[in-house]
PDB file of all heavy atoms in Angstrom:
ATOM      1  N   GLN A  41     -55.808 -59.702  71.589  1.00  0.00           N
ATOM      2  CA  GLN A  41     -55.571 -58.318  71.962  1.00  0.00           C
ATOM      3  C   GLN A  41     -56.086 -57.381  70.855  1.00  0.00           C
ATOM      4  O   GLN A  41     -55.734 -57.595  69.684  1.00  0.00           O
ATOM      5  CB  GLN A  41     -54.091 -58.037  72.226  1.00  0.00           C
ATOM      6  CG  GLN A  41     -53.424 -59.026  73.179  1.00  0.00           C
ATOM      7  CD  GLN A  41     -54.159 -59.209  74.478  1.00  0.00           C
ATOM      8  OE1 GLN A  41     -54.525 -58.221  75.152  1.00  0.00           O
ATOM      9  NE2 GLN A  41     -54.437 -60.433  74.871  1.00  0.00           N
ATOM     10  N   THR A  42     -56.861 -56.417  71.238  1.00  0.00           N
ATOM     11  CA  THR A  42     -57.417 -55.483  70.261  1.00  0.00           C
ATOM     12  C   THR A  42     -56.351 -54.797  69.469  1.00  0.00           C
ATOM     13  O   THR A  42     -55.390 -54.269  70.059  1.00  0.00           O
ATOM     14  CB  THR A  42     -58.289 -54.414  70.995  1.00  0.00           C
ATOM     15  OG1 THR A  42     -59.194 -55.103  71.844  1.00  0.00           O
ATOM     16  CG2 THR A  42     -59.040 -53.558  70.008  1.00  0.00           C
ATOM     17  N   GLY A  43     -56.482 -54.828  68.153  1.00  0.00           N
ATOM     18  CA  GLY A  43     -55.536 -54.095  67.306  1.00  0.00           C
ATOM     19  C   GLY A  43     -54.330 -54.850  66.854  1.00  0.00           C
ATOM     20  O   GLY A  43     -53.522 -54.352  66.051  1.00  0.00           O
ATOM     21  N   ILE A  44     -54.128 -56.051  67.393  1.00  0.00           N
ATOM     22  CA  ILE A  44     -52.931 -56.809  67.006  1.00  0.00           C
ATOM     23  C   ILE A  44     -53.290 -57.885  65.987  1.00  0.00           C
ATOM     24  O   ILE A  44     -54.181 -58.677  66.198  1.00  0.00           O
ATOM     25  CB  ILE A  44     -52.238 -57.429  68.240  1.00  0.00           C
ATOM     26  CG1 ILE A  44     -51.760 -56.322  69.192  1.00  0.00           C
ATOM     27  CG2 ILE A  44     -51.084 -58.318  67.814  1.00  0.00           C
ATOM     28  CD1 ILE A  44     -50.952 -56.830  70.375  1.00  0.00           C
ATOM     29  N   GLN A  45     -52.612 -57.833  64.843  1.00  0.00           N
ATOM     30  CA  GLN A  45     -52.770 -58.868  63.829  1.00  0.00           C
ATOM     31  C   GLN A  45     -51.533 -59.778  63.918  1.00  0.00           C
ATOM     32  O   GLN A  45     -50.422 -59.285  64.028  1.00  0.00           O
ATOM     33  CB  GLN A  45     -52.814 -58.240  62.434  1.00  0.00           C
ATOM     34  CG  GLN A  45     -54.034 -57.384  62.189  1.00  0.00           C
ATOM     35  CD  GLN A  45     -53.884 -56.562  60.905  1.00  0.00           C
ATOM     36  OE1 GLN A  45     -53.130 -56.947  59.987  1.00  0.00           O
ATOM     37  NE2 GLN A  45     -54.556 -55.430  60.835  1.00  0.00           N
ATOM     38  N   VAL A  46     -51.766 -61.064  63.869  1.00  0.00           N
ATOM     39  CA  VAL A  46     -50.668 -62.024  64.122  1.00  0.00           C
ATOM     40  C   VAL A  46     -50.456 -62.967  62.980  1.00  0.00           C
ATOM     41  O   VAL A  46     -51.407 -63.504  62.389  1.00  0.00           O
ATOM     42  CB  VAL A  46     -50.965 -62.836  65.402  1.00  0.00           C
ATOM     43  CG1 VAL A  46     -49.816 -63.741  65.746  1.00  0.00           C
ATOM     44  CG2 VAL A  46     -51.267 -61.925  66.564  1.00  0.00           C
ATOM     45  N   ARG A  47     -49.169 -63.236  62.719  1.00  0.00           N
ATOM     46  CA  ARG A  47     -48.766 -64.205  61.725  1.00  0.00           C
ATOM     47  C   ARG A  47     -47.586 -64.943  62.375  1.00  0.00           C
ATOM     48  O   ARG A  47     -46.922 -64.401  63.265  1.00  0.00           O
ATOM     49  CB  ARG A  47     -48.248 -63.440  60.504  1.00  0.00           C
ATOM     50  CG  ARG A  47     -48.235 -64.136  59.267  1.00  0.00           C
ATOM     51  CD  ARG A  47     -48.059 -63.173  58.080  1.00  0.00           C
ATOM     52  NE  ARG A  47     -47.358 -61.944  58.380  1.00  0.00           N
ATOM     53  CZ  ARG A  47     -47.232 -60.931  57.536  1.00  0.00           C
ATOM     54  NH1 ARG A  47     -47.780 -61.000  56.349  1.00  0.00           N
ATOM     55  NH2 ARG A  47     -46.583 -59.862  57.877  1.00  0.00           N
ATOM     56  N   THR A  48     -47.326 -66.174  61.942  1.00  0.00           N
ATOM     57  CA  THR A  48     -46.167 -66.870  62.470  1.00  0.00           C
ATOM     58  C   THR A  48     -45.234 -67.270  61.335  1.00  0.00           C
ATOM     59  O   THR A  48     -45.666 -67.360  60.158  1.00  0.00           O
ATOM     60  CB  THR A  48     -46.548 -68.143  63.257  1.00  0.00           C
ATOM     61  OG1 THR A  48     -47.234 -69.043  62.394  1.00  0.00           O
ATOM     62  CG2 THR A  48     -47.446 -67.801  64.452  1.00  0.00           C
ATOM     63  N   ALA A  49     -43.970 -67.511  61.657  1.00  0.00           N
ATOM     64  CA  ALA A  49     -42.970 -67.919  60.671  1.00  0.00           C
ATOM     65  C   ALA A  49     -41.976 -68.833  61.380  1.00  0.00           C
ATOM     66  O   ALA A  49     -41.693 -68.632  62.566  1.00  0.00           O
ATOM     67  CB  ALA A  49     -42.250 -66.717  60.092  1.00  0.00           C
ATOM     68  N   THR A  50     -41.505 -69.861  60.694  1.00  0.00           N
ATOM     69  CA  THR A  50     -40.552 -70.779  61.350  1.00  0.00           C
ATOM     70  C   THR A  50     -39.361 -71.061  60.414  1.00  0.00           C
ATOM     71  O   THR A  50     -39.422 -70.872  59.207  1.00  0.00           O
ATOM     72  CB  THR A  50     -41.262 -72.130  61.694  1.00  0.00           C
ATOM     73  OG1 THR A  50     -41.860 -72.678  60.533  1.00  0.00           O
ATOM     74  CG2 THR A  50     -42.345 -71.919  62.776  1.00  0.00           C
ATOM     75  N   LEU A  51     -38.295 -71.537  61.065  1.00  0.00           N
ATOM     76  CA  LEU A  51     -37.005 -71.735  60.398  1.00  0.00           C
ATOM     77  C   LEU A  51     -37.102 -72.584  59.129  1.00  0.00           C
ATOM     78  O   LEU A  51     -36.467 -72.272  58.131  1.00  0.00           O
ATOM     79  CB  LEU A  51     -36.041 -72.384  61.409  1.00  0.00           C
ATOM     80  CG  LEU A  51     -34.637 -72.713  60.919  1.00  0.00           C
ATOM     81  CD1 LEU A  51     -33.866 -71.454  60.572  1.00  0.00           C
ATOM     82  CD2 LEU A  51     -33.885 -73.541  61.967  1.00  0.00           C
ATOM     83  N   ASP A  52     -37.862 -73.655  59.193  1.00  0.00           N
ATOM     84  CA  ASP A  52     -37.851 -74.646  58.091  1.00  0.00           C
ATOM     85  C   ASP A  52     -38.793 -74.267  56.937  1.00  0.00           C
ATOM     86  O   ASP A  52     -38.843 -75.006  55.930  1.00  0.00           O
ATOM     87  CB  ASP A  52     -38.190 -76.045  58.603  1.00  0.00           C
ATOM     88  CG  ASP A  52     -37.056 -76.542  59.506  1.00  0.00           C
ATOM     89  OD1 ASP A  52     -35.896 -76.196  59.251  1.00  0.00           O
ATOM     90  OD2 ASP A  52     -37.358 -77.237  60.511  1.00  0.00           O
ATOM     91  N   GLU A  53     -39.463 -73.120  57.025  1.00  0.00           N
ATOM     92  CA  GLU A  53     -40.242 -72.651  55.869  1.00  0.00           C
ATOM     93  C   GLU A  53     -39.256 -72.034  54.851  1.00  0.00           C
ATOM     94  O   GLU A  53     -38.156 -71.613  55.228  1.00  0.00           O
ATOM     95  CB  GLU A  53     -41.265 -71.584  56.331  1.00  0.00           C
ATOM     96  CG  GLU A  53     -42.358 -72.132  57.218  1.00  0.00           C
ATOM     97  CD  GLU A  53     -43.194 -71.019  57.820  1.00  0.00           C
ATOM     98  OE1 GLU A  53     -43.547 -70.062  57.108  1.00  0.00           O
ATOM     99  OE2 GLU A  53     -43.487 -71.105  59.060  1.00  0.00           O
ATOM    100  N   PRO A  54     -39.689 -71.920  53.574  1.00  0.00           N
ATOM    101  CA  PRO A  54     -38.801 -71.223  52.601  1.00  0.00           C
ATOM    102  C   PRO A  54     -38.471 -69.802  53.114  1.00  0.00           C
ATOM    103  O   PRO A  54     -39.344 -69.107  53.632  1.00  0.00           O
ATOM    104  CB  PRO A  54     -39.685 -71.157  51.327  1.00  0.00           C
ATOM    105  CG  PRO A  54     -40.702 -72.238  51.485  1.00  0.00           C
ATOM    106  CD  PRO A  54     -40.936 -72.396  52.998  1.00  0.00           C
ATOM    107  N   ASP A  55     -37.222 -69.423  52.978  1.00  0.00           N
ATOM    108  CA  ASP A  55     -36.736 -68.125  53.483  1.00  0.00           C
ATOM    109  C   ASP A  55     -37.036 -67.975  54.979  1.00  0.00           C
ATOM    110  O   ASP A  55     -37.192 -66.848  55.485  1.00  0.00           O
ATOM    111  CB  ASP A  55     -37.348 -66.952  52.725  1.00  0.00           C
ATOM    112  CG  ASP A  55     -36.787 -66.816  51.315  1.00  0.00           C
ATOM    113  OD1 ASP A  55     -35.654 -67.306  51.074  1.00  0.00           O
ATOM    114  OD2 ASP A  55     -37.466 -66.289  50.446  1.00  0.00           O
ATOM    115  N   HIS A  56     -37.088 -69.095  55.685  1.00  0.00           N
ATOM    116  CA  HIS A  56     -37.393 -69.131  57.113  1.00  0.00           C
ATOM    117  C   HIS A  56     -38.746 -68.437  57.427  1.00  0.00           C
ATOM    118  O   HIS A  56     -38.976 -67.954  58.528  1.00  0.00           O
ATOM    119  CB  HIS A  56     -36.302 -68.449  57.953  1.00  0.00           C
ATOM    120  CG  HIS A  56     -34.910 -68.906  57.626  1.00  0.00           C
ATOM    121  ND1 HIS A  56     -34.608 -70.227  57.383  1.00  0.00           N
ATOM    122  CD2 HIS A  56     -33.737 -68.231  57.561  1.00  0.00           C
ATOM    123  CE1 HIS A  56     -33.309 -70.323  57.145  1.00  0.00           C
ATOM    124  NE2 HIS A  56     -32.746 -69.133  57.235  1.00  0.00           N
ATOM    125  N   GLY A  57     -39.599 -68.372  56.400  1.00  0.00           N
ATOM    126  CA  GLY A  57     -40.916 -67.720  56.599  1.00  0.00           C
ATOM    127  C   GLY A  57     -40.813 -66.208  56.566  1.00  0.00           C
ATOM    128  O   GLY A  57     -41.817 -65.519  56.783  1.00  0.00           O
ATOM    129  N   LEU A  58     -39.635 -65.696  56.324  1.00  0.00           N
ATOM    130  CA  LEU A  58     -39.410 -64.232  56.361  1.00  0.00           C
ATOM    131  C   LEU A  58     -39.106 -63.700  54.948  1.00  0.00           C
ATOM    132  O   LEU A  58     -38.014 -63.275  54.644  1.00  0.00           O
ATOM    133  CB  LEU A  58     -38.276 -63.869  57.331  1.00  0.00           C
ATOM    134  CG  LEU A  58     -38.534 -64.306  58.779  1.00  0.00           C
ATOM    135  CD1 LEU A  58     -37.317 -64.039  59.638  1.00  0.00           C
ATOM    136  CD2 LEU A  58     -39.756 -63.567  59.358  1.00  0.00           C
ATOM    137  N   THR A  59     -40.116 -63.818  54.067  1.00  0.00           N
ATOM    138  CA  THR A  59     -39.961 -63.317  52.727  1.00  0.00           C
ATOM    139  C   THR A  59     -39.956 -61.791  52.745  1.00  0.00           C
ATOM    140  O   THR A  59     -40.335 -61.172  53.757  1.00  0.00           O
ATOM    141  CB  THR A  59     -41.113 -63.792  51.838  1.00  0.00           C
ATOM    142  OG1 THR A  59     -42.351 -63.273  52.399  1.00  0.00           O
ATOM    143  CG2 THR A  59     -41.208 -65.315  51.807  1.00  0.00           C
ATOM    144  N   ASP A  60     -39.618 -61.189  51.608  1.00  0.00           N
ATOM    145  CA  ASP A  60     -39.648 -59.739  51.525  1.00  0.00           C
ATOM    146  C   ASP A  60     -41.053 -59.186  51.845  1.00  0.00           C
ATOM    147  O   ASP A  60     -41.190 -58.175  52.529  1.00  0.00           O
ATOM    148  CB  ASP A  60     -39.201 -59.253  50.119  1.00  0.00           C
ATOM    149  CG  ASP A  60     -37.736 -59.543  49.863  1.00  0.00           C
ATOM    150  OD1 ASP A  60     -37.047 -59.972  50.823  1.00  0.00           O
ATOM    151  OD2 ASP A  60     -37.285 -59.381  48.718  1.00  0.00           O
ATOM    152  N   ASP A  61     -42.053 -59.885  51.317  1.00  0.00           N
ATOM    153  CA  ASP A  61     -43.461 -59.469  51.560  1.00  0.00           C
ATOM    154  C   ASP A  61     -43.799 -59.507  53.032  1.00  0.00           C
ATOM    155  O   ASP A  61     -44.451 -58.596  53.578  1.00  0.00           O
ATOM    156  CB  ASP A  61     -44.456 -60.329  50.768  1.00  0.00           C
ATOM    157  CG  ASP A  61     -44.452 -59.976  49.294  1.00  0.00           C
ATOM    158  OD1 ASP A  61     -43.850 -58.930  48.956  1.00  0.00           O
ATOM    159  OD2 ASP A  61     -45.024 -60.764  48.521  1.00  0.00           O
ATOM    160  N   VAL A  62     -43.403 -60.567  53.706  1.00  0.00           N
ATOM    161  CA  VAL A  62     -43.691 -60.698  55.135  1.00  0.00           C
ATOM    162  C   VAL A  62     -43.000 -59.582  55.910  1.00  0.00           C
ATOM    163  O   VAL A  62     -43.626 -58.917  56.741  1.00  0.00           O
ATOM    164  CB  VAL A  62     -43.264 -62.099  55.677  1.00  0.00           C
ATOM    165  CG1 VAL A  62     -43.305 -62.148  57.180  1.00  0.00           C
ATOM    166  CG2 VAL A  62     -44.185 -63.200  55.092  1.00  0.00           C
ATOM    167  N   LEU A  63     -41.713 -59.360  55.635  1.00  0.00           N
ATOM    168  CA  LEU A  63     -40.992 -58.337  56.396  1.00  0.00           C
ATOM    169  C   LEU A  63     -41.587 -56.940  56.112  1.00  0.00           C
ATOM    170  O   LEU A  63     -41.704 -56.114  57.037  1.00  0.00           O
ATOM    171  CB  LEU A  63     -39.496 -58.376  56.051  1.00  0.00           C
ATOM    172  CG  LEU A  63     -38.732 -59.540  56.656  1.00  0.00           C
ATOM    173  CD1 LEU A  63     -37.288 -59.560  56.117  1.00  0.00           C
ATOM    174  CD2 LEU A  63     -38.740 -59.512  58.170  1.00  0.00           C
ATOM    175  N   ALA A  64     -41.965 -56.713  54.845  1.00  0.00           N
ATOM    176  CA  ALA A  64     -42.504 -55.392  54.482  1.00  0.00           C
ATOM    177  C   ALA A  64     -43.852 -55.139  55.185  1.00  0.00           C
ATOM    178  O   ALA A  64     -44.248 -54.002  55.359  1.00  0.00           O
ATOM    179  CB  ALA A  64     -42.672 -55.283  52.975  1.00  0.00           C
ATOM    180  N   SER A  65     -44.560 -56.201  55.568  1.00  0.00           N
ATOM    181  CA  SER A  65     -45.872 -55.990  56.203  1.00  0.00           C
ATOM    182  C   SER A  65     -45.820 -56.410  57.687  1.00  0.00           C
ATOM    183  O   SER A  65     -46.851 -56.806  58.235  1.00  0.00           O
ATOM    184  CB  SER A  65     -46.936 -56.783  55.429  1.00  0.00           C
ATOM    185  OG  SER A  65     -46.594 -58.129  55.343  1.00  0.00           O
TER     186      SER A  65
END
Side-chain angles (χ1 to χ4, degrees):
Q41 310 307 310
T42 309
I44 297 186
Q45 296 167 25
V46 184
R47 202 165 26 187
T48 62
T50 56
L51 179 66
D52 293 326
E53 293 171 43
D55 289 335
H56 311 320
L58 299 174
T59 61
D60 292 352
D61 284 348
V62 168
L63 287 174
S65 55

